[in-house]
């Protein structure tokens, strides 16, 4: 996947990925983390984007945007090297708008960490951010909807993701046009 | 007779639970309504209905052999099935069991509303859309919300679940909602059933542990929700057939 180059703000090696979720909240990170195995530098790198410390998307080259599967891959990196990059909030939100899938903000904490404190922190931060989100420039909303090429691309990407996930989740037989 | 709706948004924070309960209460004047919190990861319904102290929730039903009837509570003229908030409950909950729960509840109600999880990255979030007859899409007039709402529609369409309606929520007075609605209606397959204004009443209702139609029945928000419910044409199906469909939906366990 393509991401704009962010500004590196932290580079560390951790024993478990879940500690990075707490770090992202502490830093109120808006940007992304790149997760790799320090002992196997050629292994594929995973990625989690953050908006104010709250997870937005999870990606791994071997699982694409399937958040649960991507998180499982990333969690298997022990120890794990993580590089945290900052991006502007509009840039991150633009990434989330265009991504085929965003993650339930609490899923990484639920899946990777047994600590309900982290889960509650994530929920609180998410709720606060949602209620504080400034209204979007409404002319931009209309422009977005009038950009039929952009909408068609979003729909097409989503269709592909739906098919991929239907197979992964054993739901393919329930698809309308499954043959 | 029963029709099952998934109430879905894709994006969190758009007022999906508020909308689910408001539509449910409005419809309960004419129908037997059951509302299920299908958001097993970020349960909300219990806080909106004053049920945060209850012992048995959907987590217990999805995670053990507790019968669904133990997690059904009569509130505000509806049957409400809340989900718990504990991490251990979330981990024990098997989302595939939801189909059995839906099948059981469908036998004894007219309208079943499944309050779905936001985000579409987990099977548990998509299952309500797969299982329901139709989807009510709740959307804020913002780009992130509209993007995710369009993704919800793609999921629904792929599984043969049609769009019952699109509900614009948290509409600011400055939003050019006419233009946005007109532009959005070109992409959504269902009608736009309502535009709910951004007002303090839903937040106050949540703090009081009540649906907005119970807490502020005379408010403009409540009026707008009642209008949306009126536009939601219910198409009841045979409850036995629907229950059988849910129960027999082939969803093998993941390896």
């Amino acid at each position: 996947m393509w991401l704009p180059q962010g500004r590196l703000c932290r580079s560390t090696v951790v024993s478990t990925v879940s500690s990075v979720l707490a770090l992202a909240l502490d830093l109120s990170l808006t940007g992304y983390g790149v997760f790799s195995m320090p002992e196997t530098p050629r292994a594929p790198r995973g990625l989690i984007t953050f908006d104010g410390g709250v997870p937005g998307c999870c990606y791994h080259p071997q699982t694409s945007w399937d958040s649960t599967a991507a998180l499982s891959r990333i969690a298997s990196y022990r120890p794990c090297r993580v590089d945290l990059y900052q991006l502007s909030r509009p840039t991150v939100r633009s990434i989330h708008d265009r991504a085929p899938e965003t993650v339930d903000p609490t899923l990484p904490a639920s899946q990777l960490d047994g600590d309900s404190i982290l889960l509650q922190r994530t929920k609180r931060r998410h709720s606060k951010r949602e209620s504080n989100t400034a209204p979007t420039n409404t002319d931009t909303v209309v422009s977005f909807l009038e950009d039929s090429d952009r909408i068609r691309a979003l729909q097409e990407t989503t269709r592909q993701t739906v098919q991929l996930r239907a197979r992964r989740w054993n739901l393919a037989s329930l698809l309308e046009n499954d043959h | 007779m029963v029709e099952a709706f998934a109430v879905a948004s894709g994006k969190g924070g758009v007022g999906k639970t508020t909308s689910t309960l408001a539509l449910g209460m409005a419809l309960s004047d004419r129908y037997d309504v059951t509302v299920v919190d299908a958001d097993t990861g970020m349960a909300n319904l219990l806080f909106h209905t004053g049920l945060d102290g209850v012992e048995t929730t959907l987590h217990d039903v999805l995670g053990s052999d507790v019968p669904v009837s133990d997690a059904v509570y009569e509130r505000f003229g509806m049957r409400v099935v809340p989900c718990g908030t504990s991490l251990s409950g979330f981990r024990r909950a098997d989302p595939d069991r939801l189909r059995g729960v839906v099948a059981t509840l469908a036998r004894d109600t007219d309208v079943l509303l499944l309050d779905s999880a936001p985000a579409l990255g987990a099977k548990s979030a998509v299952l309500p859309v797969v299982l329901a007859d139709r989807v009510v899409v709740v959307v804020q007039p913002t780009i992130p919300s509209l993007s995710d709402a369009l993704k919800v529609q793609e999921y629904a369409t792929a599984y043969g679940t049609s769009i019952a309606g699109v509900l614009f929520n948290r509409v600011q007075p400055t939003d050019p909602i006419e233009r946005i609605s007109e532009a959005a209606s070109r992409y959504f397959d269902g009608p736009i059933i309502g535009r709910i204004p951004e007002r303090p009443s839903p937040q106050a209702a949540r703090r009081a542990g009540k649906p907005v139609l119970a807490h502020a029945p005379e408010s403009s928000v409540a009026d707008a929700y009642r209008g949306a419910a009126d536009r939601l044409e219910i198409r009841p199906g045979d409850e036995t057939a629907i229950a059988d469909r849910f129960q027999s939906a082939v969803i093998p366990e993941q390896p």
Side-chain angles (χ1 to χ4, degrees), chain A residues 1-78:
Chain A
M1 67 168 294
W2 178 86
L3 267 184
Q5 180 64 49
R7 188 174 69 82
L8 184 65
C9 65
R10 193 70 66 97
S11 193
T12 185
V13 174
V14 293
S15 55
T16 60
V17 170
S18 60
S19 60
V20 180
L21 301 176
L23 179 62
L25 283 171
D26 292 341
L27 297 172
S28 283
L29 176 69
T30 296
Y32 58 94
V34 177
F35 299 81
S36 57
M37 283 194 282
E39 292 157 3
T40 317
R42 288 193 175 184
R45 296 174 177 196
L47 179 134
I48 302 176
T49 62
F50 296 93
D51 183 353
V54 178
C57 295
C58 302
Y59 177 86
H60 190 280
Q62 291 169 334
T63 63
S64 191
W65 298 92
D66 185 322
S67 308
T68 306
L71 285 167
S72 293
R73 298 272 180 174
I74 292 170
S76 69
Y77 293 179
R78 296 184 179 206

Side-chain angles (χ1 to χ4, degrees), chain A residues 97 99-102 104 110 113 126 130 138 141 144-145 151 155 158-159 162 165-166 168-170 175-176, chain B residues 11-12 42 87 90-91 119-121 123 126 142-144 146-147 151 154-155 158-160 175-176 187 253-254:
Chain A
D97 291 346
E101 297 299 337
T102 50
D104 177 339
S110 302
D113 198 281
H126 174 60
E130 290 293 341
T138 46
V141 176
F144 165 75
L145 290 168
I151 301 284
Q155 290 170 322
T158 307
R159 269 176 223 136
V162 171
R165 291 198 166 163
R168 187 166 292 144
W169 292 337
N170 294 317
L175 287 169
E176 184 78 335
Chain B
K11 184 180 181 302
M42 204 162 167
L87 188 62
F90 168 74
R91 286 193 164 149
L120 294 160
K123 184 180 181 180
V126 173
T142 65
I143 295 172
L146 282 159
S147 296
K151 291 174 193 171
E154 290 304 323
Y155 274 85
Y159 288 100
D175 287 336
Y187 303 107
E253 297 291 321
Q254 282 187 286

